[in-house]
Amino acid sequence: MAPGKVNVDDIQLELGSGRFQLLAFIVLGLIYSRGAWHVFGIMFLAGDPGHKCALPSQAEEMAPNASGFPSHSDTISHNGYHKDEDRTGSHMLNRTGEDQMVTPEIDLGSNMLYAFQGDSVMVSRANWTANTCDVSYITANGSSVRLASECPYGWSYGSQFEATVLSEWDLVCSQNFLVELSITVFMVGATVGAMLILPLADRFGRKSVMLACLFCQAAVGSATAFVDNYILFTVLRFVVGMLNIGVGLSSFVLVTETFPAKQRTVVSIAFQIFWAVGVMTVAGFGHLVRNWRHLELLLSLPNLLALPCYWLLPESLPWLVSRNRLIDAENAISKIAKVNGKKDINARALLSSHTVSDDSSAASLVSNNSQETFKMGETVNTPQGKCTQDSGLCQEGSASLSEQTGTEKTPENENPGMNEARKEKPENRQMSQLQLVVELFSNGRMRLYCCVMFFLFFVNSLGYFGISFSAPVLHGNPFVNLCILGAVEIPADIICILVSERMGRRYPNAVFLLLCGIANIVALFTPDHLVFLKLAFVMLGKFAITASYSTVYLYSAEIFPTAVRNQAMGMSSVFENIGSISAPFIVHAAKTLPHLPLVIFGVLSMAGATVTLLLPETHNRPLPQTVNEITEWGYERNTNNEL
């Protein structure tokens, strides 16, 4: 075959969208859905079954080799009580303005003898009471005395779970932030994974990286089920998060590259429905399996079921062509044609017929396919923060596709008049990219658009993960709550597809964010006894933020100039990651300030709705190539408003 550029999109159009594309969509969707298991599984792996301090009698049962009492060095905070010497000489305790300290001396069976201000105080063992994070007892005169140390006899837990990370390692009271910390570490792992796996997927292929991450995650996730301390658990969760984003990135790009460019808008958004299914199924798993070690195995081992994909699922056709692996590309075309029932297609002839080898034809191809290139840039995005770094790899994949369609000439085929430009050193080309980024922020209007997009990415990521991780602290059954939170994403994605195609991006996104903000604020002022009404408004907020998240990803691919789109999307992802990493801390604050998350999500969402109106509409516009094109959009909008 003569050297040249291959128009992969035309090949995919001739192959059609039939049984193969449907099969790939479902298989890759199921692989993609299990990513939600590891993101939201922590809500049950480290679920709180309800806890309170253990009493001395319980401690004796749990530790028969001990007396059940704290050591002599353990102290008891007296909550401001002291002996009253005026009461017939008996050792009674009355309130004062200072905390006093006593220590246990002797176990006398039904009573305990405590040292107090040089004397001894007799306390009945039957008068102990336990709270969530402290133990106290009632003295003879009805005074309450609290132990200074935090639950010295340990904790007792409810029966909602058989065993969780929280109950096994006592991640409660002063240690209760460690659960949210492990979630944050997981999110950091996802961020690191996106940066590391991005070049691997472009070098070794989407399918290869996806399967490698799946099998490695199965091994690491299974190992996590056997750890015996929190630190090792958190480290392995970091690795699981890193591999999880690798699976999500690769499967998403692989499915978008399976379809022709004109179908990718609908495909990329509809693909997110599988994520919603994953959220719903992990809620079911958590309900059925109440031991965290067994649940971790259930979340990890199904990855091995993807092994047949190695033989059944071909590598991405656009990637194979971009790497000049034409024999593999022919095999992939043959397999796709066979499954689609087009047995009369000759793979080699089809590949040759869509190969451009001369400059003029290549230039014509670029011109004719400019709109298709726009479609590719438009759709190679993932609307959910679940794969918070998808944009980087997707944009990289889009770049590979542009190479295939001839948008970038090779040295062999370029025009002689371009030789001087081709001789430019790589360092100078890199500096040119840097200058373009500087130009992006030196223009006042474009700088405003960038800041708005960065803020929208932060708000959507924070709101999506914050509301999702709040499911356990909402009223009602946590399993049902999470299932509903996943279910509302399905209509949100469908509505996003319909509205984006008909009404554009600007006003729908503002409405979605405004709806999210209002729903959270109304939920904040809904009385606690109206449990179902409050929960309904929270679910409405989740619906709206999901639709907004999908719209923002689509919006961002259309508003940044082609020359710096990758860099701009990368910077947007930084703010997106800040949101996803911050969400667990806001959820943790809800343990002491229950209304704080609703206030933050509501205010930020309404602010996002307002600043969205500062952006230009990108619907039905060609993909911008320069900063000047975008600023002209803003000028047109202002002129129309004045008229």
Side-chain angles (χ1 to χ4, degrees):
M1 182 182 297
K5 292 300 178 180
V6 180
N7 188 347
V8 182
D9 196 64
D10 282 353
I11 294 176
Q12 290 178 323
L13 286 173
E14 288 200 32
L15 290 172
S17 297
R19 289 191 296 268
F20 174 82
Q21 284 74 17
L22 179 61
L23 179 63
F25 183 80
I26 294 174
V27 171
L28 293 172
L30 293 176
I31 292 175
Y32 187 69
S33 68
R34 40 123 315 274
W37 299 356
H38 294 281
V39 173
F40 296 107
I42 189 66
M43 298 165 64
F44 308 121
L45 294 172
D48 187 354
H51 66 276
K52 63 180 181 179
C53 292
L55 297 176
S57 58
Q58 294 172 309
E60 289 178 351
E61 295 174 1
M62 292 184 291
N65 59 329
S67 64
F69 299 102
S71 64
H72 192 75
S73 61
D74 287 334
T75 59
I76 300 177
S77 173
H78 185 247
N79 271 357
Y81 287 84
H82 72 85
K83 275 195 320 179
D84 183 2
E85 298 293 349
D86 297 331
R87 294 210 176 194
T88 64
S90 62
H91 298 307
M92 305 293 288
L93 300 176
N94 291 322
R95 180 149 193 178
T96 67
E98 299 179 359
D99 285 349
Q100 304 294 334
M101 314 301 289
V102 296
T103 55
E105 283 191 334
I106 304 173
D107 178 11
L108 299 179
S110 62
N111 295 303
M112 292 179 294
L113 192 63
Y114 279 85
F116 177 75
Q117 292 186 346
D119 297 319
S120 295
V121 179
M122 193 74 68
V123 180
S124 171
R125 298 182 62 179
N127 293 337
W128 290 82
T129 59
N131 299 312
T132 55
C133 293
D134 60 74
V135 176
S136 59
Y137 62 86
I138 307 300
T139 62
N141 70 341
S143 302
S144 177
V145 179
R146 178 174 57 84
L147 297 179
S149 56
E150 184 182 88
C151 297
Y153 307 110
W155 285 266
S156 62
Y157 296 92
S159 58
Q160 187 178 36
F161 296 98
E162 178 183 334
T164 69
V165 169
L166 180 145
S167 63
E168 186 167 325
W169 297 321
D170 293 329
L171 305 183
V172 292
C173 298
S174 62
Q175 304 293 314
N176 67 354
F177 69 95
L178 293 177
V179 172
E180 282 73 23
L181 179 61
S182 69
I183 300 176
T184 297
V185 170
F186 179 92
M187 293 296 184
V188 173
T191 303
V192 173
M195 293 186 293
L196 294 179
I197 294 171
L198 170 62
L200 295 179
D202 283 327
R203 181 175 180 181
F204 299 107
R206 294 30 168 147
K207 186 183 78 169
S208 300
V209 170
M210 179 188 73
L211 294 177
C213 289
L214 277 169
F215 300 147
C216 290
Q217 189 185 59
V220 176
S222 299
T224 305
F226 297 95
V227 299
D228 59 357
N229 63 82
Y230 170 81
I231 294 178
L232 185 55
F233 171 83
T234 304
V235 170
L236 292 182
R237 283 281 296 172
F238 174 90
V239 179
V240 169
M242 186 173 64
L243 296 169
N244 201 55
I245 198 69
V247 177
L249 289 170
S250 303
S251 60
F252 182 84
V253 174
L254 188 55
V255 77
T256 55
E257 292 180 345
T258 300
F259 288 83
K262 67 179 183 179
Q263 299 176 356
R264 288 177 185 146
T265 298
V266 175
V267 169
S268 63
I269 299 178
F271 196 63
Q272 303 307 315
I273 293 176
F274 286 102
W275 180 269
V277 173
V279 176
M280 297 167 66
T281 53
V282 75
F285 291 158
H287 175 73
L288 295 173
V289 182
R290 303 299 180 94
N291 185 300
W292 78 269
R293 297 184 185 274
H294 300 161
L295 179 59
E296 182 64 44
L297 290 174
L298 179 60
L299 300 179
S300 302
L301 291 178
N303 287 16
L304 301 177
L305 298 176
L307 182 60
C309 292
Y310 180 81
W311 297 279
L312 300 178
L313 193 67
E315 182 56 85
S316 164
L317 181 59
W319 181 83
L320 290 173
V321 172
S322 70
R323 305 295 293 185
N324 204 33
R325 293 173 53 174
L326 299 183
I327 295 179
D328 292 333
E330 290 177 8
N331 294 333
I333 291 173
S334 298
K335 181 175 292 187
I336 296 172
K338 182 179 179 180
V339 175
N340 282 348
K342 298 189 176 185
K343 300 180 181 179
D344 57 332
I345 288 182
N346 184 294
R348 177 164 298 185
L350 182 62
L351 201 58
S352 299
S353 65
H354 293 285
T355 300
V356 180
S357 58
D358 65 284
D359 294 339
S360 59
S361 297
S364 175
L365 179 63
V366 174
S367 176
N368 292 338
N369 288 306
S370 59
Q371 184 63 28
E372 295 304 327
T373 303
F374 161 68
K375 286 295 184 181
M376 281 184 275
E378 172 185 310
T379 58
V380 183
N381 296 288
T382 175
Q384 302 297 56
K386 334 169 222 333
C387 292
T388 58
Q389 293 291 333
D390 283 5
S391 58
L393 183 57
C394 292
Q395 292 296 322
E396 192 74 14
S398 181
S400 298
L401 291 176
S402 67
E403 293 177 4
Q404 302 152 21
T405 55
T407 57
E408 182 179 354
K409 295 183 177 65
T410 61
E412 296 87 349
N413 296 327
E414 69 180 358
N415 237 312
M418 297 293 292
N419 286 339
E420 185 175 351
R422 176 62 66 183
K423 293 178 182 178
E424 185 182 16
K425 295 182 180 180
E427 294 83 356
N428 293 336
R429 289 199 298 271
Q430 292 176 2
M431 180 60 69
S432 177
Q433 287 293 321
L434 178 60
Q435 290 172 346
L436 287 171
V437 174
V438 172
E439 181 185 356
L440 184 70
F441 289 94
S442 62
N443 182 285
R445 189 177 296 276
M446 194 65 226
R447 185 167 59 247
L448 171 64
Y449 295 163
C450 288
C451 291
V452 170
M453 292 306 303
F454 296 162
F455 180 70
L456 292 179
F457 268 96
F458 170 77
V459 169
N460 278 276
S461 180
L462 179 68
Y464 176 85
F465 286 104
I467 294 175
S468 299
F469 287 134
S470 296
V473 300
L474 296 175
H475 295 287
N477 188 304
F479 309 104
V480 175
N481 290 347
L482 183 62
C483 185
I484 297 176
L485 283 171
V488 298
E489 293 189 28
I490 297 177
D493 289 328
I494 295 174
I495 289 177
C496 178
I497 295 174
L498 299 176
V499 172
S500 295
E501 288 295 321
R502 290 168 172 77
M503 301 180 62
R505 288 65 163 127
R506 181 165 166 255
Y507 288 115
N509 189 67
V511 171
F512 289 144
L513 284 173
L514 181 63
L515 179 61
C516 178
I518 293 175
N520 281 280
I521 296 299
V522 173
L524 176 66
F525 290 101
T526 302
D528 290 337
H529 68 276
L530 299 176
V531 175
F532 292 103
L533 183 60
K534 180 184 284 287
L535 186 61
F537 282 115
V538 173
M539 297 303 171
L540 179 61
K542 176 64 182 302
F543 165 88
I545 200 67
T546 299
S548 174
Y549 214 159
S550 301
T551 306
V552 165
Y553 257 100
L554 196 59
Y555 212 162
S556 64
E558 298 172 350
I559 200 170
F560 292 126
T562 300
V564 290
R565 184 169 296 113
N566 282 354
Q567 293 90 332
M569 291 293 291
M571 288 183 283
S572 299
S573 295
V574 171
F575 290 90
E576 183 182 16
N577 292 329
I578 293 174
S580 62
I581 291 171
S582 303
F585 291 104
I586 295 178
V587 175
H588 173 70
K591 295 178 179 179
T592 53
L593 300 171
H595 299 307
L596 181 63
L598 293 177
V599 172
I600 293 177
F601 302 150
V603 172
L604 289 180
S605 296
M606 297 178 76
T610 302
V611 299
T612 297
L613 299 178
L614 299 175
L615 298 174
E617 179 57 70
T618 60
H619 184 46
N620 289 332
R621 291 183 181 269
L623 198 65
Q625 303 297 314
T626 65
V627 171
N628 289 336
E629 290 184 32
I630 302 175
T631 56
E632 289 174 1
W633 294 354
Y635 175 77
E636 293 173 5
R637 180 166 60 85
N638 291 339
T639 302
N640 293 334
N641 289 340
E642 291 175 2
L643 296 176

Short mmCIF file of all heavy atoms in Angstrom, two decimals, residues 555-584:
data_model
loop_
_atom_site.label_atom_id
_atom_site.label_comp_id
_atom_site.label_asym_id
_atom_site.label_seq_id
_atom_site.Cartn_x
_atom_site.Cartn_y
_atom_site.Cartn_z
N TYR A 555 -19.28 21.62 26.37
CA TYR A 555 -19.04 23.05 26.21
C TYR A 555 -17.55 23.34 26.10
O TYR A 555 -17.09 24.10 25.24
CB TYR A 555 -19.64 23.79 27.41
CG TYR A 555 -20.17 25.17 27.13
CD1 TYR A 555 -21.06 25.77 28.02
CD2 TYR A 555 -19.81 25.89 26.00
CE1 TYR A 555 -21.57 27.03 27.80
CE2 TYR A 555 -20.31 27.16 25.78
CZ TYR A 555 -21.19 27.72 26.68
OH TYR A 555 -21.69 28.98 26.45
N SER A 556 -16.78 22.75 26.98
CA SER A 556 -15.34 23.04 27.05
C SER A 556 -14.62 22.62 25.79
O SER A 556 -13.67 23.29 25.35
CB SER A 556 -14.73 22.34 28.26
OG SER A 556 -14.82 20.93 28.13
N ALA A 557 -15.04 21.52 25.16
CA ALA A 557 -14.38 21.07 23.93
C ALA A 557 -14.64 22.01 22.77
O ALA A 557 -13.90 22.00 21.79
CB ALA A 557 -14.87 19.66 23.58
N GLU A 558 -15.69 22.84 22.89
CA GLU A 558 -16.08 23.72 21.79
C GLU A 558 -15.63 25.16 21.97
O GLU A 558 -15.59 25.92 21.01
CB GLU A 558 -17.60 23.70 21.63
CG GLU A 558 -18.16 22.34 21.27
CD GLU A 558 -19.67 22.30 21.30
OE1 GLU A 558 -20.29 23.27 21.78
OE2 GLU A 558 -20.22 21.29 20.84
N ILE A 559 -15.26 25.54 23.19
CA ILE A 559 -14.97 26.95 23.44
C ILE A 559 -13.49 27.26 23.43
O ILE A 559 -13.08 28.40 23.22
CB ILE A 559 -15.60 27.41 24.77
CG1 ILE A 559 -15.73 28.93 24.79
CG2 ILE A 559 -14.79 26.91 25.96
CD1 ILE A 559 -16.55 29.45 25.94
N PHE A 560 -12.63 26.25 23.64
CA PHE A 560 -11.20 26.49 23.63
C PHE A 560 -10.67 26.39 22.20
O PHE A 560 -11.05 25.48 21.45
CB PHE A 560 -10.46 25.48 24.51
CG PHE A 560 -10.74 25.65 25.98
CD1 PHE A 560 -11.19 24.58 26.74
CD2 PHE A 560 -10.56 26.87 26.60
CE1 PHE A 560 -11.45 24.72 28.09
CE2 PHE A 560 -10.82 27.03 27.95
CZ PHE A 560 -11.27 25.95 28.70
N PRO A 561 -9.76 27.28 21.79
CA PRO A 561 -9.21 27.24 20.43
C PRO A 561 -8.44 25.94 20.17
O PRO A 561 -7.85 25.36 21.09
CB PRO A 561 -8.26 28.45 20.39
CG PRO A 561 -8.68 29.32 21.52
CD PRO A 561 -9.24 28.42 22.56
N THR A 562 -8.45 25.50 18.93
CA THR A 562 -7.81 24.24 18.57
C THR A 562 -6.34 24.22 18.95
O THR A 562 -5.82 23.21 19.43
CB THR A 562 -7.96 24.00 17.06
OG1 THR A 562 -9.35 23.93 16.74
CG2 THR A 562 -7.29 22.70 16.64
N ALA A 563 -5.65 25.34 18.75
CA ALA A 563 -4.21 25.37 18.96
C ALA A 563 -3.81 25.07 20.40
O ALA A 563 -2.73 24.54 20.66
CB ALA A 563 -3.66 26.74 18.55
N VAL A 564 -4.68 25.39 21.35
CA VAL A 564 -4.33 25.20 22.77
C VAL A 564 -5.40 24.41 23.50
O VAL A 564 -5.51 24.49 24.72
CB VAL A 564 -4.12 26.57 23.47
CG1 VAL A 564 -2.86 27.24 22.97
CG2 VAL A 564 -5.33 27.47 23.27
N ARG A 565 -6.19 23.63 22.76
CA ARG A 565 -7.31 22.93 23.40
C ARG A 565 -6.82 21.93 24.43
O ARG A 565 -7.36 21.82 25.53
CB ARG A 565 -8.17 22.24 22.35
CG ARG A 565 -9.42 21.57 22.96
CD ARG A 565 -10.39 21.12 21.89
NE ARG A 565 -10.91 22.27 21.16
CZ ARG A 565 -10.65 22.51 19.88
NH1 ARG A 565 -9.90 21.67 19.20
NH2 ARG A 565 -11.15 23.56 19.29
N ASN A 566 -5.79 21.16 24.11
CA ASN A 566 -5.29 20.17 25.05
C ASN A 566 -4.80 20.82 26.34
O ASN A 566 -5.08 20.36 27.45
CB ASN A 566 -4.15 19.37 24.42
CG ASN A 566 -4.66 18.32 23.46
OD1 ASN A 566 -5.87 18.11 23.34
ND2 ASN A 566 -3.76 17.66 22.76
N GLN A 567 -4.02 21.92 26.19
CA GLN A 567 -3.51 22.59 27.37
C GLN A 567 -4.64 23.18 28.21
O GLN A 567 -4.63 23.09 29.44
CB GLN A 567 -2.52 23.70 26.97
CG GLN A 567 -1.25 23.19 26.34
CD GLN A 567 -1.36 23.06 24.83
OE1 GLN A 567 -2.45 22.85 24.29
NE2 GLN A 567 -0.24 23.16 24.13
N ALA A 568 -5.61 23.77 27.54
CA ALA A 568 -6.73 24.37 28.27
C ALA A 568 -7.56 23.31 28.98
O ALA A 568 -7.99 23.50 30.12
CB ALA A 568 -7.61 25.18 27.31
N MET A 569 -7.79 22.17 28.31
CA MET A 569 -8.53 21.09 28.95
C MET A 569 -7.75 20.52 30.12
O MET A 569 -8.32 20.13 31.14
CB MET A 569 -8.84 19.99 27.94
CG MET A 569 -9.85 20.38 26.86
SD MET A 569 -11.50 20.65 27.52
CE MET A 569 -11.97 18.98 27.98
N GLY A 570 -6.43 20.46 29.97
CA GLY A 570 -5.61 19.99 31.08
C GLY A 570 -5.70 20.90 32.29
O GLY A 570 -5.80 20.44 33.43
N MET A 571 -5.68 22.21 32.05
CA MET A 571 -5.83 23.15 33.15
C MET A 571 -7.21 23.05 33.78
O MET A 571 -7.37 23.19 35.00
CB MET A 571 -5.55 24.57 32.66
CG MET A 571 -4.07 24.83 32.37
SD MET A 571 -3.73 26.53 31.88
CE MET A 571 -4.29 26.51 30.18
N SER A 572 -8.23 22.83 32.95
CA SER A 572 -9.58 22.64 33.49
C SER A 572 -9.64 21.42 34.40
O SER A 572 -10.30 21.42 35.44
CB SER A 572 -10.58 22.48 32.34
OG SER A 572 -10.61 23.61 31.52
N SER A 573 -8.93 20.36 34.01
CA SER A 573 -8.92 19.14 34.81
C SER A 573 -8.30 19.35 36.18
O SER A 573 -8.65 18.67 37.13
CB SER A 573 -8.17 18.04 34.05
OG SER A 573 -8.85 17.68 32.87
N VAL A 574 -7.35 20.29 36.26
CA VAL A 574 -6.75 20.60 37.57
C VAL A 574 -7.83 21.07 38.53
O VAL A 574 -7.92 20.61 39.68
CB VAL A 574 -5.65 21.67 37.41
CG1 VAL A 574 -5.17 22.14 38.79
CG2 VAL A 574 -4.47 21.11 36.62
N PHE A 575 -8.67 21.98 38.08
CA PHE A 575 -9.74 22.50 38.93
C PHE A 575 -10.81 21.43 39.17
O PHE A 575 -11.42 21.38 40.25
CB PHE A 575 -10.36 23.74 38.30
CG PHE A 575 -9.44 24.92 38.30
CD1 PHE A 575 -8.57 25.15 37.24
CD2 PHE A 575 -9.42 25.80 39.37
CE1 PHE A 575 -7.71 26.24 37.25
CE2 PHE A 575 -8.57 26.88 39.39
CZ PHE A 575 -7.70 27.11 38.33
N GLU A 576 -11.03 20.58 38.20
CA GLU A 576 -11.96 19.46 38.37
C GLU A 576 -11.46 18.54 39.47
O GLU A 576 -12.24 18.09 40.33
CB GLU A 576 -12.08 18.71 37.05
CG GLU A 576 -13.07 17.57 37.08
CD GLU A 576 -13.10 16.83 35.76
OE1 GLU A 576 -12.17 17.02 34.95
OE2 GLU A 576 -14.05 16.06 35.54
N ASN A 577 -10.16 18.27 39.48
CA ASN A 577 -9.58 17.40 40.51
C ASN A 577 -9.64 18.03 41.88
O ASN A 577 -9.84 17.35 42.89
CB ASN A 577 -8.14 17.05 40.15
CG ASN A 577 -8.05 16.17 38.92
OD1 ASN A 577 -8.94 15.39 38.65
ND2 ASN A 577 -6.98 16.33 38.15
N ILE A 578 -9.44 19.35 41.93
CA ILE A 578 -9.55 20.04 43.22
C ILE A 578 -10.94 19.84 43.81
O ILE A 578 -11.11 19.62 45.01
CB ILE A 578 -9.23 21.54 43.06
CG1 ILE A 578 -7.76 21.72 42.69
CG2 ILE A 578 -9.56 22.30 44.34
CD1 ILE A 578 -7.39 23.16 42.37
N GLY A 579 -11.94 19.89 42.94
CA GLY A 579 -13.31 19.68 43.40
C GLY A 579 -13.53 18.28 43.91
O GLY A 579 -14.12 18.09 44.99
N SER A 580 -13.09 17.26 43.17
CA SER A 580 -13.31 15.87 43.59
C SER A 580 -12.52 15.52 44.84
O SER A 580 -12.97 14.73 45.66
CB SER A 580 -12.95 14.92 42.45
OG SER A 580 -11.57 15.02 42.12
N ILE A 581 -11.33 16.12 44.99
CA ILE A 581 -10.51 15.85 46.17
C ILE A 581 -11.08 16.57 47.40
O ILE A 581 -10.99 16.07 48.53
CB ILE A 581 -9.06 16.28 45.92
CG1 ILE A 581 -8.42 15.34 44.88
CG2 ILE A 581 -8.24 16.27 47.20
CD1 ILE A 581 -7.05 15.79 44.40
N SER A 582 -11.70 17.73 47.19
CA SER A 582 -12.26 18.51 48.31
C SER A 582 -13.58 17.94 48.80
O SER A 582 -13.93 18.13 49.98
CB SER A 582 -12.47 19.97 47.89
OG SER A 582 -11.28 20.55 47.43
N ALA A 583 -14.32 17.26 47.93
CA ALA A 583 -15.66 16.79 48.29
C ALA A 583 -15.69 15.94 49.56
O ALA A 583 -16.56 16.15 50.42
CB ALA A 583 -16.28 16.02 47.12
N PRO A 584 -14.77 14.97 49.75
CA PRO A 584 -14.83 14.16 50.98
C PRO A 584 -14.67 14.98 52.26
O PRO A 584 -15.25 14.63 53.29
CB PRO A 584 -13.67 13.17 50.80
CG PRO A 584 -13.46 13.09 49.33
CD PRO A 584 -13.75 14.46 48.82
#
